[in-house]
Structure formats: structure tokens, C-alpha cells
């Protein structure tokens, strides 16, 4: 009897370990990619993955840094396809809120990828309705767009950014934005083997351009080009003592 009881206990423990092993296999192997992608998406939406792009500055009359290229936050509606439990219900609820045809909404919600952007710069009413709908896998997020707050000032030097792909990330396409892309952009965070590597924020790039001198140089040059009916013109203003480019 004692031997039979010992055998039963051993068998029970063995079965328990087998069940536990199968569950671990299911979590780590069979569904490992699903949970890794889900975790990465959650960290990205929480702001741990996306670096802030560095500023580009010129100087003011006091020699202090003055930003001419910066970042402006804006709201977006985000869909995480893997978290959506009922596509039909989500489409039915979102279509009137977004003002889109049902087929178009369905196309976004069924795309592959960790997340999809549904709506940029939603109105207060749209944001409230999305929150009220409380749809699994649909949420509001905040992203940044590049802002050039002083119009065309030194624009031929600063350059510009443009989207690099479907995820709305931007890269420098011209001028300082392109030349110092690696410095300005920083490095996105990642999730490796369950360990979060935070994003490395972009660094600022400080130019020696003097805002007032640049403004006057552009004004005078424009007038001369128009007066002489020239195709274009170039002017460089340099500080003799240091070699700094002022305009």
C-alpha cells in the first residue's frame, strides 16, 4: 500500500511538471512572438521606445541658443491589430467617428504590424468618442512632428525632414537635418529577451549662425537678386577673429 501511495504521488508530480512544461512551451515558444510584440507595442506607446529628435539652434543677439527646428506634440488615434477582439464591432463603432468607409477602416485594422495610425490630430469630440467606445486595441497616443517656427529663416541651411515609412518616423532629407541625421535622430529603444533598452535621445546641433545677421543678409540678398534680375545669389558673413559663420 505504501509503495502504491508513493507511486501515485510520484505520478501526480510528474503529470504536474508535464502540464507546467507544456504551458511554458506555449507561452515562450508557441506564443512567444505574440507576447514579445505586444510588450514592445505597449512600451512604444508608453514612450520608452521613441527618441525625441534633437533641436537645431542658431544664436540670438546675446549669444544664447535660439531654436529654429524643434518638435511639436500632436495626438493620434492608434490601432493595435493583435489586441482587437472583435473586428466587426470595432469597424462599426469607428467608421462614423473617423468619417471613413467601413472597408477603409477594416483595411487599417487588419494590417500586419505592431500598430497602425487611425487618425491624426483628432478633434476633442473624436477623442472623447474613441475613449467612450472603449474598444480593445484602440487608444490615443501622442507623437511629435518637426516644427520650423521661423518660416524660411535659414531654411536652405537647416533643411527639412520627411516620413521614412508607414510608421510616420521622420529622417533628414536636406541640409543640417540630413548631414547630422544620426546625431539629431538618436536611437530607438528595443525589447530584447524581455529586457527593455530605453531610447537614446537625439542631441541638439548648435550653429554659429546669428539670427539677426542671417535675417538681414537674406533680406539684402533678395533685394539685390530682384534688382539685378539675377537667377540667384550667395553671401557668407564670417567673424574674422574666430572664423565662425554668422550668416
Amino acid at each position: 500500500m505504501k509503495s502504491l501511495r508513493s507511486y501515485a504521488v510520484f505520478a501526480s508530480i510528474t503529470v504536474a511538471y508535464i502540464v507546467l512544461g507544456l504551458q511554458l512551451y506555449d507561452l515562450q515558444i508557441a506564443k512567444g512572438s505574440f507576447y514579445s510584440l505586444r510588450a514592445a507595442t505597449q512600451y512604444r506607446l508608453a514612450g520608452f521606445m521613441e527618441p525625441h529628435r534633437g533641436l537645431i539652434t542658431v544664436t540670438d543677439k546675446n549669444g544664447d541658443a535660439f531654436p529654429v527646428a524643434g518638435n511639436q506634440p500632436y495626438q493620434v488615434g492608434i490601432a493595435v491589430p493583435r489586441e482587437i477582439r472583435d473586428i466587426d464591432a470595432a469597424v462599426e463603432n469607428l467608421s462614423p467617428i473617423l468619417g471613413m468607409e467601413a472597408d477603409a477602416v477594416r483595411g487599417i485594422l487588419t494590417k500586419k504590424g505592431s500598430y497602425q495610425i487611425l487618425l491624426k490630430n483628432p478633434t476633442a469630440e473624436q477623442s472623447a468618442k474613441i475613449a467612450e467606445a472603449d474598444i480593445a486595441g484602440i487608444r490615443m497616443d501622442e507623437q511629435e512632428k518637426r516644427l520650423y517656427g521661423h518660416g524660411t529663416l535659414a531654411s536652405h541651411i537647416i533643411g527639412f525632414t520627411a516620413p521614412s515609412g508607414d510608421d510616420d518616423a521622420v529622417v533628414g532629407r536636406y541640409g543640417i537635418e540630413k548631414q547630422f541625421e544620426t546625431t539629431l535622430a538618436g536611437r530607438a529603444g528595443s525589447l530584447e529577451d524581455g529586457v527593455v533598452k530605453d531610447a537614446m535621445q537625439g542631441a541638439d546641433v548648435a550653429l554659429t549662425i546669428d539670427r539677426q545677421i542671417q535675417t538681414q543678409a537674406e533680406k539684402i540678398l533678395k533685394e539685390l537678386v530682384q534688382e539685378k534680375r539675377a537667377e540667384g545669389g550667395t553671401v557668407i558673413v564670417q567673424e574674422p577673429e574666430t572664423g565662425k559663420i554668422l550668416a
Side-chain angles (χ1 to χ4, degrees):
M1 182 66 71
K2 184 177 180 181
S3 177
L4 183 61
R5 186 180 299 141
S6 298
Y7 176 77
V9 171
F10 175 76
S12 299
I13 293 173
T14 302
V15 171
Y17 272 108
I18 291 173
V19 171
L20 180 61
L22 290 173
Q23 289 178 335
L24 287 174
Y25 173 84
D26 185 54
L27 286 172
Q28 295 182 348
I29 308 300
K31 295 182 180 177
S33 60
F34 168 77
Y35 287 113
S36 292
L37 183 58
R38 182 176 181 180
T41 300
Q42 290 172 339
Y43 281 121
R44 197 215 71 79
L45 294 176
F48 295 118
M49 297 295 195
E50 300 299 315
H52 296 287
R53 192 173 181 85
L55 307 178
I56 298 176
T57 66
V58 296
T59 63
D60 62 13
K61 62 182 180 181
N62 299 316
D64 297 324
F66 183 87
V68 287
N71 306 305
Q72 184 178 51
Y74 67 99
Q75 277 199 318
V76 292
I78 295 290
V80 184
R82 285 178 177 266
E83 295 182 6
I84 300 174
R85 302 190 190 104
D86 189 335
I87 289 290
D88 292 334
V91 170
E92 184 180 348
N93 279 289
L94 289 171
S95 182
I97 297 174
L98 302 177
M100 296 170 59
E101 295 291 334
D103 288 344
V105 177
R106 186 180 299 276
I108 296 173
L109 299 186
T110 54
K111 278 184 179 180
K112 292 182 179 179
S114 57
Y115 74 98
Q116 300 295 332
I117 294 178
L118 280 172
L119 180 67
K120 295 180 181 180
N121 290 316
T123 64
E125 183 182 6
Q126 286 175 317
S127 296
K129 286 183 176 180
I130 289 175
E132 184 181 342
D134 193 23
I135 303 168
I138 307 298
R139 67 197 71 174
M140 299 306 298
D141 188 24
E142 190 175 88
Q143 294 191 347
E144 292 181 340
K145 62 182 177 181
R146 204 60 165 161
L147 179 67
Y148 303 98
H150 296 275
T152 60
L153 178 68
S155 58
H156 58 295
I157 301 168
I158 299 163
F160 58 89
T161 61
S164 61
D166 294 336
D167 61 356
D168 256 27
V170 299
V171 295
R173 297 295 190 190
Y174 184 80
I176 296 297
E177 292 276 29
K178 180 179 180 180
Q179 184 175 351
F180 291 92
E181 168 63 21
T182 302
T183 302
L184 290 164
R187 186 184 66 239
S190 62
L191 181 65
E192 299 177 11
D193 298 325
V195 178
V196 179
K197 292 186 177 180
D198 290 343
M200 182 178 74
Q201 304 304 329
D204 298 343
V205 172
L207 307 180
T208 59
I209 298 294
D210 182 293
R211 180 164 62 112
Q212 282 75 25
I213 298 175
Q214 179 71 30
T215 300
Q216 288 302 313
E218 290 182 14
K219 179 176 179 292
I220 292 169
L221 186 61
K222 181 179 180 180
E223 292 172 351
L224 283 171
V225 167
Q226 291 175 341
E227 179 186 332
K228 305 300 181 182
R229 298 181 181 179
E231 291 184 4
T234 301
V235 60
I236 296 175
V237 180
Q238 188 174 17
E239 186 176 78
E241 295 85 356
T242 64
K244 289 195 301 186
I245 303 298
L246 302 179

